[in-house]
Amino acid sequence: MALPGFRDFYPDDCAFRNAIFAKWRDVAQRYGFVEYDGPPLEPLDLFTKKSGEEIVTQLYYFKDKGDRDVALRPEMTPTLARLVTARHKDYKKPLKWFSIPQVFRYERQQKGRLREHYQLNCDIIGEAGLEADIELIALVIDVLRTFGLTEKDFVVRLSDRVFWSDFMERHGVPEEQRYAFIQAIDKSEREPREKTAEKLGPLADEVFSILDQGGASERLDTVETGLRHRGLHDYVKRDFTVVRGLAYYTGVVFEVFDRTGEFRAIAGGGRYDTLLKNLGGVDLPALGFGMGDVVLGEILKKQSKDHSEIRTADFYVAIADELYRPQAMALVQKLRDHDDWTDYPIKPMKLGKQLEAATERQASYICIVGPESLEGKVQLRMASYKGIKVVPIDRIFDYLPIENWTSPEADASTS
RNA sequence: GCGACCGUAGCUCAAUGGUAGAGCUCCAGAUUGUGGUUCUGGCUGUUGCGGGUUCGAGCCCCGUCGGUCGCCCCA
């Protein structure tokens, strides 16, 4: 039994997961992002520095044998910040980097939320212009499109942190109340209006008007125009309730949701221009998003969009009689050297069982090694009964693919 | 950390408080000409765990540990 909130991956699960990873990599690379990675275990203070001491309650942390306080990474950004800070001079700007870390959090699990998951992280570092925001949002859209999801399935809700900080500035909201103000907006969707109104005070009416009817943001105008040029405009919707709980976002922010509202957020991200510097690192503008495998997987499963491909066997080498096992094993080795996936009975089995095993592995071809192997020949047949032929083992590949056989049935009697 | 519901074979599920079962899977054998059938047989349970009530608990009560879904939190 796996620990609470942790998953075992049986072959089918692993194939499903790997299919997600493959598509993540494929799209990120298509956008010119390069992959990096870091350690799953980090010094505890790498995370408390960014998020404060209270985060410790949600971390897997412990003392290692050297009495160091360490934690399983709950997110990738601090690690990314360290890597970039140390060697950013080695790379031309902007950096477009992605990673697929397994990240951990210590909390009660619930739907779409376990204690570990894999998270695609894509970040652009060293570019302050909005073209970077457009590029990043286009990427998150294309990742989901690659899984066969459309604008009918999901929506990217766009917002602008600067819009709200300008708003608070203009209305004289004191510095110490601003975080609570943002939090109230963040929760406004899930709470009754009266409760939110109470938190917002005299500004409530104006805020609700903005939430309902939208507001002016040149940034979002530019981003939306840029997405329109790419033909991706139908995937986004301006929504000022999206502010992202975190304090460090500084510009355009976004969250991706499925249209049914049945699931948690699929992805989220935004611009965090001051974060690297605040972590004690290099002063570079940056933005990024994260997308986990759990919610995405739930949605794909619900839509029966299983992209996993379990590779099936190329050859199954059956042994008609144990007498011929040496010849069979020579053939197995030859096929494997030829880069074909080849399986065979690892212990003596009746021929019927062997053919059954070949069927189960969905082998494309079956070789039956029998008496003719003493003359260097083997029965070669297609798994689907379409043909059978006795061929010289040293020229076996000349007879493939089997579809080239002119009259396979006619050859069936050849021996 | 809080609340609600749920824990029976590997899986899906039965079993008035009265001897724990079925189907599927898996394994073995038979048969099918060298395949997808069909038979036959077999395996696995301290009914999550620990207490309590009772002549007797899978069933009722308490606790605990898991699971699911919410709350809190959200990287």
Side-chain angles (χ1 to χ4, degrees), chain A residues 3-247:
Chain A
L3 285 170
F6 286 76
R7 297 170 289 173
D8 291 321
F9 290 90
Y10 286 87
D12 284 352
D13 309 312
C14 219
F16 185 78
R17 185 187 77 183
N18 288 343
I20 289 176
F21 289 3
K23 291 211 184 300
W24 278 351
R25 285 205 170 86
D26 175 57
V27 186
Q29 288 166 353
R30 216 189 294 162
Y31 269 70
F33 282 64
V34 293
E35 188 166 2
Y36 70 97
D37 202 358
L41 194 68
E42 292 274 19
L44 179 62
D45 64 15
L46 183 69
F47 305 117
T48 55
K49 211 159 43 173
K50 176 183 166 192
S51 310
E53 290 296 330
E54 64 277 16
I55 197 180
V56 171
T57 61
Q58 308 209 6
L59 284 179
Y60 266 97
Y61 78 96
F62 51 94
K63 278 190 190 297
D64 72 5
K65 291 183 180 179
D67 208 33
R68 283 175 287 255
D69 289 305
V70 296
L72 290 169
R73 61 187 171 198
E75 57 162 332
M76 201 56 177
T77 308
T79 300
L80 173 66
R82 184 183 66 219
L83 299 187
V84 169
T85 296
R87 292 194 31 192
H88 72 275
K89 286 185 177 167
D90 292 346
Y91 304 97
K92 287 203 190 319
K93 310 299 178 301
L95 282 61
K96 299 205 288 186
W97 284 14
F98 80 97
S99 190
I100 306 179
Q102 189 179 22
V103 294
F104 308 85
R105 59 192 146 215
Y106 194 92
E107 60 174 14
R108 192 68 185 266
Q109 64 170 315
Q110 51 190 298
K111 185 177 166 64
R113 204 123 198 252
L114 306 174
R115 285 181 168 179
E116 55 82 21
H117 69 150
Y118 293 89
Q119 189 181 61
L120 172 66
N121 277 253
C122 298
D123 293 271
I124 300 175
I125 295 151
E127 174 52 53
L130 283 171
E131 182 60 24
D133 300 68
I134 298 167
E135 173 81 345
L136 191 75
I137 293 164
L139 172 55
V140 80
I141 292 168
D142 269 335
V143 167
L144 294 173
R145 287 180 66 220
T146 300
F147 286 99
L149 301 175
T150 70
E151 73 277 5
K152 292 186 177 61
D153 300 311
F154 71 93
V155 60
V156 180
R157 294 173 15 183
L158 285 179
S159 184
D160 181 4
R161 264 298 178 90
V162 179
F163 173 88
W164 284 116
S165 42
D166 284 353
F167 179 91
M168 290 185 288
E169 184 76 32
R170 200 163 61 243
H171 291 85
V173 178
E175 200 69 45
E176 65 275 10
Q177 290 177 20
R178 292 191 179 181
Y179 183 68
F181 190 89
I182 287 288
Q183 291 283 315
I185 292 170
D186 189 29
K187 285 188 183 159
S188 64
E189 249 192 331
R190 303 184 293 263
E191 282 181 346
R193 284 245 150 153
E194 305 79 61
K195 195 165 179 188
T196 306
E198 196 179 316
K199 292 181 187 170
L200 294 175
L203 292 174
D205 286 345
E206 194 168 345
V207 169
F208 287 141
S209 153
I210 290 163
L211 296 183
D212 294 338
Q213 294 158 36
S217 164
E218 282 183 26
R219 272 182 197 75
L220 293 184
D221 292 343
T222 303
V223 168
E224 288 168 4
T225 301
L227 290 168
R228 187 173 287 115
H229 291 159
R230 299 182 188 216
L232 298 176
H233 186 256
D234 290 343
Y235 291 90
V236 301
K237 179 174 181 296
R238 195 179 295 206
D239 183 343
F240 285 101
T241 60
V242 174
V243 290
R244 307 282 294 156
L246 285 306

